[in-house]
């Protein structure tokens, strides 16, 4: 059920296959109420997420992006979430320079057994995005130039 009836926004969630996707599944099996705004993209590991995925998603019209992986020291690939944390922290500082509200992006850690936690995380993030409202579309020559500069710098 959407947080606000009739005002569903476009929120994209990049979830690691081993923990967070399992947590979302556990929440579903447990029949926890969740907002329907989130569209999930399952990735092998949060460490595989290139910051450009997030920027391109936000510049393509998503109202918010949530990345979720395994808790630190629980990564299936040992260090993937440490790489993710470093990249995503840098991205959080970089996003305002692109004209994107940094509150439209967040990352978190959820294990496969934490269905209740997943429900809380996704509900809180969705409410945060609804408070911000729909994102302004970033397009035109400036947007393409910004993407090229970002690809070159990352």
């Amino acid at each position: 059920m959407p947080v606000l009836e009739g005002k569903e926004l476009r929120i994209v969630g990049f979830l690691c296959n081993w923990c967070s996707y399992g947590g979302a599944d556990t929440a579903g099996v447990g029949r926890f109420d969740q907002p329907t705004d989130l569209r999930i993209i399952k990735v092998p590991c949060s460490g595989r997420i290139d910051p450009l995925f997030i920027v391109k998603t936000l510049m393509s019209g998503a109202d918010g992006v949530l990345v979720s992986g395994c808790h630190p020291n629980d990564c299936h690939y040992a260090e993937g979430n440490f790489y993710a944390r470093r990249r995503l922290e840098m991205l959080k500082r970089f996003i305002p320079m692109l004209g994107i509200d940094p509150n439209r992006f967040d990352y978190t850690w959820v294990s496969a057994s934490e269905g209740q936690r997943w429900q809380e995380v996704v509900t809180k993030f969705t409410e945060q995005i609804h408070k911000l409202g729909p994102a302004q579309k970033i397009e035109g020559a400036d947007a393409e130039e910004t993407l090229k500069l970002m690809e070159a710098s990352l």
Side-chain angles (χ1 to χ4, degrees), residues 1 20 31 39-41 46 57 68 71 76 79 105-107 113 118 136:
M1 172 183 298
S20 295
R31 296 183 178 260
R39 305 295 184 258
I40 294 174
I41 298 173
S46 59
T57 302
S68 187
H71 287 282
H76 186 78
E79 303 174 322
F105 164 67
D106 202 3
Y107 66 91
S113 63
W118 172 254
Q136 287 185 337

Side-chain angles (χ1 to χ4, degrees), residues 42-79:
K42 186 166 66 169
V43 295
C45 176
S46 59
R48 294 288 299 144
I49 297 173
D50 187 322
L52 281 175
F53 296 169
I54 296 159
V55 171
K56 286 181 179 177
T57 302
L58 288 167
M59 292 180 86
S60 297
D63 299 306
V65 175
L66 177 66
V67 174
S68 187
C70 301
H71 287 282
N73 293 324
D74 283 344
C75 179
H76 186 78
Y77 300 104
E79 303 174 322

Side-chain angles (χ1 to χ4, degrees), residues 69-126:
C70 301
H71 287 282
N73 293 324
D74 283 344
C75 179
H76 186 78
Y77 300 104
E79 303 174 322
N81 51 12
F82 290 115
Y83 293 123
R85 183 171 57 190
R86 186 177 337 145
R87 288 186 201 128
L88 298 175
E89 258 321 300
M90 292 296 292
L91 181 65
K92 264 193 168 256
R93 295 178 191 165
F94 192 71
I95 278 182
M97 292 180 223
L98 299 173
I100 298 171
D101 187 331
N103 293 319
R104 293 191 180 278
F105 164 67
D106 202 3
Y107 66 91
T108 189
W109 318 118
V110 175
S111 76
S113 63
E114 295 179 318
Q116 181 76 42
R117 175 167 159 64
W118 172 254
Q119 179 205 25
E120 293 165 8
V121 164
V122 75
T123 301
K124 182 181 169 194
F125 186 70
T126 302

Side-chain angles (χ1 to χ4, degrees), residues 20-46:
S20 295
Y21 191 80
D25 195 37
T26 301
V29 170
R31 296 183 178 260
F32 297 129
D33 284 338
Q34 298 179 52
T36 57
D37 303 69
L38 189 76
R39 305 295 184 258
I40 294 174
I41 298 173
K42 186 166 66 169
V43 295
C45 176
S46 59

